[in-house]
Amino acid sequence: MSLAAMSSPRKMFPMPSPEPADLDSSPPERFVVEVFSELRPETIQKRWEDVNVILRMSMLTGLQMQLEATLNLLCDMAADMSAFDKAMVYFWDEGRELMELRIARNVEKQTGEEVATGNILNFWAIKYGRPLLVEQGHNSQSDALIRVTGVSCALVVPLFVSNRVMGSLQLFRAGAGKPFTKEDAQLLWILSLVAENLLTREYANEGLLRFAFTDYLTGLRTRGYFEQQLELEFKRAERKQQKFALLMIDIDHFKILNDTFGHHVGDQLLRDVTSILMKDMREVDTVARYGGEEFVIILPETTETGAVFVAQRLRRAVDQAKFFAGSPHSVQHLTISIGVAVYDTDAQFKRDLIEFADAALYAAKHAGRNRVMCYSELSKQGREVS
């Protein structure tokens, strides 16, 4: 990237206006740091190790990486340059059309909705397109965030994609220690500019992957994505020695409805059921269309008891819902059957877990449909017979 490009004005990514600040608060402009595309000789001499970190980033911009890995790398390099106690990285999610907290280090993602989907510091980074050095006692909105995160000061650097601010790197220090400096802001500003090409490419790749792994009819993840995610969940569960559950779900008598009302009504019913399955799911859960009228749900860190609770909630929600077959006057009643299998309790391998959940689903349908069946019940019945 040329020095001219690095110092050119940046286009801002549009965001809604925040709540108006209290009259006693100083305007956020006081936090904005004026930065340049060139480092002073004394900065280079004093902080040559940090300059080397920037050079390392420049050498990595040709690598193929996933966006999440790129943001983690950026956070790691920021830590090499300027120590911090906590960090958050926000980045725009095109599919969900919201600003998402992608990386949280020593910060609970459940701190609050205002933290999970963008905070005031992220808004300011987008608005001004420059680094911010934020300290307590000057602005009520930033003070509120500092209290929630339990820190004393913050350094915020905008992150760019194709000359647009698409998120922010937020570093925090706790206690009464040394605050961040303008020199820190200057160095991290250049790091973010050097990372722009890498972020631009991986952001585009993330969009392509999302398209490839999204079922066009329901908007759910595809079977291919499910297979990938299940593999990752197995590795995570083995590493953490935790259980997780797999739900296999099928719409009862769906073929009859499809043949009676036509595929266009069947497609709408699939979308309606999808919206019920997605409701109240955790961020870590994976809901995917397995094929036809069959769905799968991965529930991380979930025992059989927890999985049955979720499955029964979904079964009742579908059973109690009204579905319209082409017109408000043609109300249809739908039910689903669900099979449950749990990693470590029922199966140790991916293929077994899928087969066992499918076997439990088949048993639920054979037993009369509109019910939940666990593979452990089938195993127990098999042992009693033998």
Side-chain angles (χ1 to χ4, degrees), residues 177-188:
K178 183 180 176 183
F180 293 105
T181 65
K182 289 185 177 180
E183 210 167 56
D184 293 326
Q186 173 71 62
L187 287 161
L188 288 170

Side-chain angles (χ1 to χ4, degrees), residues 251-305:
I251 303 176
D252 298 327
H253 302 299
F254 183 76
K255 188 177 185 303
I256 296 173
L257 287 168
N258 229 5
D259 293 344
T260 303
F261 297 103
H263 287 286
H264 66 289
V265 171
D267 290 348
Q268 184 56 52
L269 293 176
L270 282 174
R271 285 190 285 267
D272 292 342
V273 171
T274 292
S275 66
I276 293 174
L277 297 182
M278 288 294 293
K279 189 178 181 184
D280 297 329
M281 281 297 168
R282 300 171 301 174
E283 187 180 338
V284 295
D285 300 332
T286 298
V287 185
R289 187 182 180 194
Y290 197 64
E293 66 274 18
E294 206 166 0
F295 304 89
V296 282
I297 301 178
I298 303 172
L299 301 173
E301 300 179 22
T302 304
T303 62
E304 183 180 289
T305 302

Side-chain angles (χ1 to χ4, degrees), residues 158-172:
L159 300 176
F160 299 100
V161 166
S162 299
N163 214 34
R164 300 166 70 197
V165 183
M166 298 294 275
S168 64
L169 169 67
Q170 303 183 7
L171 311 180
F172 302 92

Side-chain angles (χ1 to χ4, degrees), residues 208-223:
L208 292 173
L209 283 172
R210 185 185 298 109
F211 178 78
F213 283 131
T214 301
D215 176 60
Y216 76 96
L217 181 61
T218 62
L220 291 176
R221 297 300 194 182
T222 61
R223 181 170 176 170

